[in-house]
Amino acid sequence: PELGRRFAERKRCADLECSMLMCRGKAMRDFKGPDCRFVNFKKGEAVYVYYKLIGESTELWAGSVGSDFGYFPKDLLEINHNYSNEELELPTDVSLTFSVF
């Protein structure tokens, strides 16, 4: 995707704040993002998904690995647990902000 200010205009979340987990998966291979907006992970690590970008950049999801949060290509994740089957469509924020509890 183009590394502009926003990757997409809309996203899908499990709740209005995008703070509830949507799903969990296992990384199918190592990933090192091109900048600090991306989360890096190693093959086999657990990745937790909080929202999915829709529109122009449907290949990017946002989630956490440990205490790190960021974007990653959805194709690198093998989903092994869904926390929510409901998805709300919301506008994306200009900045990526998130707190891991």
Side-chain angles (χ1 to χ4, degrees):
E2 180 184 322
L3 298 180
R5 191 165 178 127
R6 276 193 271 187
F7 295 121
E9 294 293 321
R10 313 230 11 110
K11 61 186 173 182
R12 288 199 174 109
C13 304
D15 66 308
L16 289 174
E17 291 81 32
C18 298
S19 62
M20 289 179 53
L21 281 171
M22 295 183 81
C23 58
R24 176 187 70 225
K26 181 173 72 171
M28 296 190 297
R29 64 180 172 96
D30 292 357
F31 174 70
K32 180 156 175 51
D35 62 39
C36 64
R37 296 176 291 177
F38 291 81
V39 65
N40 300 322
F41 48 76
K42 301 270 189 214
K43 180 179 179 178
E45 282 190 298
V47 180
Y48 296 87
V49 178
Y50 287 88
Y51 61 88
K52 303 170 182 179
L53 296 182
I54 55 176
E56 294 177 23
S57 294
T58 58
E59 72 275 3
L60 291 179
W61 288 357
S64 65
V65 176
S67 61
D68 297 328
F69 184 87
Y71 294 107
F72 61 91
K74 70 177 185 178
D75 295 341
L76 300 182
L77 194 64
E78 178 183 313
I79 302 298
N80 52 29
H81 185 78
N82 284 308
Y83 292 100
S84 173
N85 291 325
E86 292 188 35
E87 294 184 359
L88 304 172
E89 189 173 314
L90 303 167
T92 56
D93 298 324
V94 171
S95 63
L96 175 68
T97 57
F98 186 80
S99 299
V100 176
F101 296 97

